[in-house]
Amino acid sequence: MTTKSTNAGNDPAAAIGIYIANVPEPFRGALEKLRATIKSADPKAEEAMIYGVPGFRHHGNLVCYAAFKAHCGFYPMSPALLDSLGDELSGFRVAKGTIRFTPDQPLPDMLVRKIAEARVEENAAGTTA
């Protein structure tokens, strides 16, 4: 379900808006909520299309997210961070670099905020892979 063509030129917010608009409900609502939570966790982060999906940058690539046919993906872009979260990710399917969730079982806002804030610290320190 990932939308590759955005036709938004050089405006990342417009490209992300088009991407999200092309995602069917209830996945669209889940991505909009995730986007807002990340923005509130790091108001200095800039939106960007990263590897063809919506994301944020702050001192480098921060996080990305996407929708697929049966789930949404949240990409913290830090295997070490994912490993450190352990039990906080129980109940979610975690694959290499990805946390999968559904609109029925969304990621908790506190967890999203924690990940975004930790990624800013990693990027600022230059400790990201």
Side-chain angles (χ1 to χ4, degrees):
M1 174 186 316
T2 323
T3 304
K4 298 202 187 242
S5 176
T6 60
N7 297 322
N10 292 327
D11 183 356
I16 291 167
I18 292 168
Y19 178 97
I20 291 174
N22 284 311
V23 172
E25 285 294 353
F27 294 94
R28 181 182 322 126
L31 293 187
E32 289 170 340
K33 184 173 187 296
L34 183 64
R35 181 185 190 189
T37 302
I38 297 164
K39 279 183 185 180
S40 72
D42 184 8
K44 293 181 182 178
E46 296 179 2
E47 291 190 281
M49 292 298 288
I50 303 169
Y51 303 118
V53 298
F56 287 86
R57 290 191 172 123
H58 189 163
H59 301 297
N61 292 340
L62 192 63
V63 296
C64 296
Y65 56 93
F68 300 94
K69 186 176 181 178
H71 69 276
C72 294
F74 181 50
Y75 308 94
M77 304 179 91
S78 172
L81 177 59
L82 276 180
D83 290 344
S84 75
L85 294 171
D87 290 342
E88 293 180 73
L89 295 175
S90 66
F92 296 99
R93 189 166 169 210
V94 179
K96 185 177 181 179
T98 306
I99 305 168
R100 293 181 180 175
F101 66 97
T102 62
D104 294 340
Q105 187 184 11
L107 294 171
D109 290 350
M110 294 282 289
L111 179 59
V112 173
R113 293 181 67 79
K114 179 178 182 175
I115 290 169
E117 291 166 359
R119 289 292 298 124
V120 170
E121 289 177 19
E122 283 183 344
N123 282 357
T127 58
T128 311

